[in-house]
């Protein structure tokens, strides 16, 4: 959830707009992919007595895509929004990045957020590999290398 404020007013949720699950996305993978998680589907529902208008925004994080950017929900109606780590993530260097997806209830001007965390690592980072080498006298030796 996000706390947004104007003057002395604070909002702590999206009002009648319910978003599930309450968790964000946490993914890891090698530079150029693949990534452990590539998407999460969120269910947006209207728990209130009147139609609400909603919007979804991913900010300037071009490596995240949304299947829908907004719409209307009548009382009791639900829709799904898929948040995806897209192909632009394949061009990210070794890094840890976070995107924020904001779901906004336009009528009540209340918002709720989900974070998308992506950790891009080097292949073999943190793992052990067995390497066989030939030494000068012709014998074989096994070495364990941890990156």
């Amino acid at each position: 959830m996000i706390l947004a404020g104007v003057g002395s007013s604070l909002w702590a949720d999206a009002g009648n707009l319910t978003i599930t699950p309450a968790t964000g996305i946490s993914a890891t993978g090698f530079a150029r992919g693949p990534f452990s998680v590539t998407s999460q589907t969120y269910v947006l529902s209207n728990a209130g007595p009147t139609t609400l208008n909603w919007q979804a925004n991913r900010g300037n994080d071009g490596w995240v895509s949304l299947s829908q950017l907004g719409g209307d929900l009548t009382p009791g109606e639900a829709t799904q929004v898929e948040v995806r780590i897209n192909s632009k993530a394949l061009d990210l260097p070794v890094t840890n990045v976070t995107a924020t997806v904001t779901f906004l209830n336009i009528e009540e001007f209340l918002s709720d957020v989900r974070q998308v965390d992506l950790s891009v690592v080097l292949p073999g980072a943190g793992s052990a590999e067995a390497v066989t080498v030939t030494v000068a006298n012709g014998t074989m030796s096994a070495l364990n290398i941890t990156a």
Side-chain angles (χ1 to χ4, degrees), residues 6-143:
V6 176
S8 61
S9 300
L10 288 177
W11 301 292
D13 60 36
N16 292 325
L17 178 61
T18 303
I19 302 117
T20 55
T23 57
I25 300 171
S26 182
T28 188
F30 300 123
R32 304 291 305 151
F35 301 112
S36 60
V37 177
T38 57
S39 68
Q40 171 68 53
T41 300
Y42 291 95
V43 177
L44 283 61
S45 57
N46 181 355
T50 60
T51 298
L52 66 81
N53 182 267
W54 64 273
Q55 287 182 349
N57 185 321
R58 63 169 172 80
N60 292 325
D61 299 299
W63 53 275
V64 173
S65 296
L66 306 174
S67 63
Q68 293 189 68
L69 298 177
D72 293 322
L73 291 174
T74 58
E77 185 180 15
T79 191
Q80 295 183 348
V81 176
E82 182 182 22
V83 177
R84 291 183 307 279
I85 296 173
N86 65 38
S87 63
K88 290 182 181 179
L90 298 173
D91 296 328
L92 291 172
V94 173
T95 188
N96 293 312
V97 290
T98 298
T100 301
V101 176
T102 304
F103 296 99
L104 179 66
N105 178 339
I106 301 298
E107 277 74 29
E108 297 180 14
F109 199 67
L110 301 176
S111 62
D112 205 348
V113 300
R114 299 295 183 271
Q115 281 192 320
V116 182
D117 297 315
L118 177 59
S119 179
V120 181
V121 299
L122 288 172
S127 64
E129 298 178 41
V131 179
T132 303
V133 295
T134 303
V135 293
N137 66 4
T139 60
M140 302 293 281
S141 299
L143 302 175

